[in-house]
């Protein structure tokens, strides 16, 4: 299998050293882009590759880049989203800690394509140890002339800064991230205008996920067509999946887009732990609808195939649950998370997640009332599509899909309650 992102993972950190990175083919794509390609040609190559944003939404990367206006009075920026707060996702962490120069190279090629001088990596605060790895790698890149003034004799200047977040999930949303980077409270901004037109400090800004940017050097070295051919027609290349939960070998796995989900779970990850049966999978980080074991069997790991079973590829955090799991409790736990992380800016999400949590808590205490399951579904409906940013949808979709697919785990709470009522009546 062709590896794009994980070729240096086996070196277990040695590639953090710029000499090892260069010896293993590093910075060759940057040299190629600078010496042989125009910025427009770089964007065209990325368009051809069918690379789609790996942060969750899957937006075509080349298209996003082409939205950046060529002429701008304000400076342009490249921002790497390294917030990685989506529950069940840990791929960007490994990309940055095992191969930081690949991300730096990807960002430099992006900055060249967009004519941006300054770039930022906005990194999850808990990744303080990775911030140090990145800063060491950036210092080396300055020393070797890949960053700074007159990079590779091009007469152009490129700078790269790392900025840590402070533990808010919402700061992974690209516009809240930009607010936070500007030193303000991390509230999402109204879109449009999209960041590609009005972003950081009002300048055109491309915000891309770590994994998206890390794929760019391979695309430039090998060509967009070669990258696309690794995956499916609409979802090019390979992708990293973080597999967690009741699995024999949890971890990060790079597979081609379209790879069967069941093969990843049963072969690569060694199957379900302790000989148990699979009950459910959340395929793309906690914000996406849950799917059943039967749906897993017919699901490929690409944007279209996961959508066909009613879910989303999201960030690629595959959360595996065996037959012992009570899906009511899983969903209650997730609802607690979204309620806690709601930034409070808009009413449907702020009030809706609070209300959802309230109903979940009484059902958890076996004090659920008849009609509470329907109430949960309806409350989620009042949030879905009606909130200011996608966090509201992320809170609502798991609740509705869990009820639709695992209703018995919810009904149990109510039935129990009826038994209690009858017992009290008998007293
Ligand atoms: C609540 C919320 C949290 C998000 N968290 C992240 C994150 O941690 N990392 C990330 O790359 N994208 C995250 N996103 C997606 C970003 O808003 C944005 O789509 C992404 O950074 C764009 O990069 P891409 O096109 O390379 O995917 C989040 C979105 C929402 C709504
Ligand atoms: S949906 Fe939630 S997180 Fe997004 S703006 Fe509204 S309150 Fe904030």
């Amino acid at each position: 299998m062709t590896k794009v992102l994980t070729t240096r993972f086996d070196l277990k950190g040695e590639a953090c050293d710029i000499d090892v990175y260069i010896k293993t083919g590093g910075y060759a794509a940057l040299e190629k882009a600078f010496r042989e390609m125009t910025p427009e040609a770089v964007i065209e190559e990325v368009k051809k590759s069918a690379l789609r944003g790996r942060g969750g939404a899957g937006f075509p990367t080349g298209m996003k880049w082409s939205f950046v206006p060529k002429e701008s009075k304000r400076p342009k920026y490249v921002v790497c989203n390294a917030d990685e707060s989506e529950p069940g996702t840990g791929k960007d962490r490994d990309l940055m800690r095992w191969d930081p120069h690949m991300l730096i190279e990807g960002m430099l090629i992006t900055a060249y394509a967009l004519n941006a001088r300054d770039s930022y990596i906005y990194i999850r605060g808990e990744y303080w140890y990775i911030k140090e790895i990145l800063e060491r790698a950036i210092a080396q890149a300055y020393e070797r002339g890949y960053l700074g003034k007159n990079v590779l004799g091009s007469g152009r200047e490129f700078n790269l800064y790392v900025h840590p977040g402070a533990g808010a999930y919402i700061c992974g949303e690209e516009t809240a991230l930009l607010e936070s980077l500007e030193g303000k409270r991390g509230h999402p901004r109204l879109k449009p205008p999209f960041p590609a037109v009005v972003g950081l400090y009002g300048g055109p800004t491309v915000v891309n996920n770590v994994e998206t940017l890390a794929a760019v050097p391979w695309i430039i070295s090998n060509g967009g067509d070669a990258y696309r051919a690794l995956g499916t027609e609409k979802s090019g290349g390979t992708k990293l999946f973080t597999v967690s939960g009741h699995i024999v070998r949890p971890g990060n796995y790079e597979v081609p887009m379209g790879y069967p989900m069941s093969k990843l779970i049963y072969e690569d990850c060694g199957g379900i732990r302790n000989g148990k049966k699979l009950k459910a999978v959340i395929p793309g980080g906690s914000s996406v609808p849950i799917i059943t074991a039967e749906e897993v069997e017919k699901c490929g790991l690409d944007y279209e195939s996961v959508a066909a079973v009613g879910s989303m590829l999201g960030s690629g955090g595959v959360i595996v649950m065996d037959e012992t799991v009570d899906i009511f409790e899983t969903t209650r736990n997730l609802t607690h998370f979204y309620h806690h992380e709601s930034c409070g800016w808009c009413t449907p999400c702020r009030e809706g997640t609070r209300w959802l949590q309230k109903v979940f808590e009484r059902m958890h205490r076996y004090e659920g009332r008849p009609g509470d399951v329907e109430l949960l579904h309806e409350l989620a409906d009042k949030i879905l599509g009606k909130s200011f940013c996608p966090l509201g949808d992320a809170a609502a979709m798991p609740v509705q899909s869990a009820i639709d697919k695992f209703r018995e785990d919810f009904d149990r709470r109510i039935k129990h309650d009826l038994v209690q009522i009858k017992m009290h009546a008998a007293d």
Side-chain angles (χ1 to χ4, degrees), residues 49 226-238 255-258 302:
S49 73
Y227 183 81
R228 180 185 218 132
L230 296 175
T232 67
E233 183 60 19
K234 288 186 179 160
S235 304
T238 64
V255 295
M257 282 285 192
D302 59 278

Side-chain angles (χ1 to χ4, degrees), residues 64 71-72 164 191 206 224 281 291 316 322 347 363 396 408 410:
K64 184 189 271 189
E71 303 301 327
S72 163
K191 289 192 267 190
V206 154
V281 169
I291 62 174
D322 74 14
T347 311
M363 287 172 72
E408 59 286 2
F410 289 75

Side-chain angles (χ1 to χ4, degrees), residues 194-234:
F194 290 93
V197 182
V198 182
L200 188 65
Y201 306 119
T205 305
V206 154
V207 183
N208 272 134
N209 173 254
V210 172
E211 189 185 350
T212 315
L213 292 162
V216 171
W218 197 95
I219 292 170
I220 296 305
S221 292
N222 299 275
D225 289 333
Y227 183 81
R228 180 185 218 132
L230 296 175
T232 67
E233 183 60 19
K234 288 186 179 160

Side-chain angles (χ1 to χ4, degrees), residues 169-170 173 176 186-189 338 341-351 353 383 386-395:
Y169 174 65
I170 192 58
E173 193 282 331
H187 280 316
R189 294 176 181 169
Y338 288 110
E341 294 297 337
S342 166
C343 81
W345 182 252
C346 69
T347 311
C349 170
R350 184 188 61 239
E351 298 304 320
T353 52
I383 304 171
K386 298 163 188 86
S387 48
F388 189 76
C389 87
L391 189 144
D393 294 349

Side-chain angles (χ1 to χ4, degrees), residues 38-228:
T38 61
E40 293 76 22
V42 171
I43 297 177
E44 267 322 297
E45 217 49 54
V46 174
K47 272 191 184 166
K48 265 199 246 166
S49 73
L51 171 66
R52 294 171 62 171
R54 306 297 196 225
F59 193 81
T61 306
M63 196 191 292
K64 184 189 271 189
W65 292 7
S66 62
F67 291 156
V68 173
K70 280 207 173 65
E71 303 301 327
S72 163
K73 285 191 185 136
R74 288 176 186 267
K76 300 175 193 172
Y77 300 98
V78 174
V79 174
C80 170
N81 190 341
D83 196 55
E84 192 158 72
S85 306
E86 181 72 9
T89 316
K91 66 189 176 64
D92 297 342
R93 179 191 55 188
D94 279 2
L95 281 169
M96 292 186 287
R97 73 171 159 168
W98 301 138
D99 207 350
H101 285 287
M102 185 167 60
L103 172 62
I104 296 170
E105 186 176 5
M107 290 188 72
L108 277 164
I109 296 170
T110 311
Y112 170 73
L114 303 169
N115 194 15
R117 190 191 65 182
D118 296 324
S119 301
Y120 296 85
I121 301 174
Y122 185 96
I123 189 165
R124 183 190 166 116
E126 292 89 336
Y127 287 173
W128 55 267
Y129 58 102
I130 299 176
K131 179 173 173 278
E132 288 173 6
I133 292 172
L134 286 170
E135 280 175 340
R136 275 199 298 273
I138 289 170
Q140 288 182 333
Y142 271 107
E143 274 170 29
R144 298 296 177 90
Y146 293 114
L147 277 164
K149 292 189 194 332
N150 194 19
V151 168
L152 298 179
S154 66
R156 291 179 49 182
E157 180 178 352
F158 293 95
N159 298 305
L160 181 53
Y161 309 92
V162 190
H163 183 96
Y169 174 65
I170 192 58
C171 288
E173 193 282 331
E174 56 184 6
T175 60
L177 182 155
L178 295 177
E179 286 286 293
S180 171
L181 198 49
E182 289 180 7
K184 298 179 220 149
R185 185 171 170 178
H187 280 316
R189 294 176 181 169
L190 190 67
K191 289 192 267 190
F194 290 93
V197 182
V198 182
L200 188 65
Y201 306 119
T205 305
V206 154
V207 183
N208 272 134
N209 173 254
V210 172
E211 189 185 350
T212 315
L213 292 162
V216 171
W218 197 95
I219 292 170
I220 296 305
S221 292
N222 299 275
D225 289 333
Y227 183 81
R228 180 185 218 132

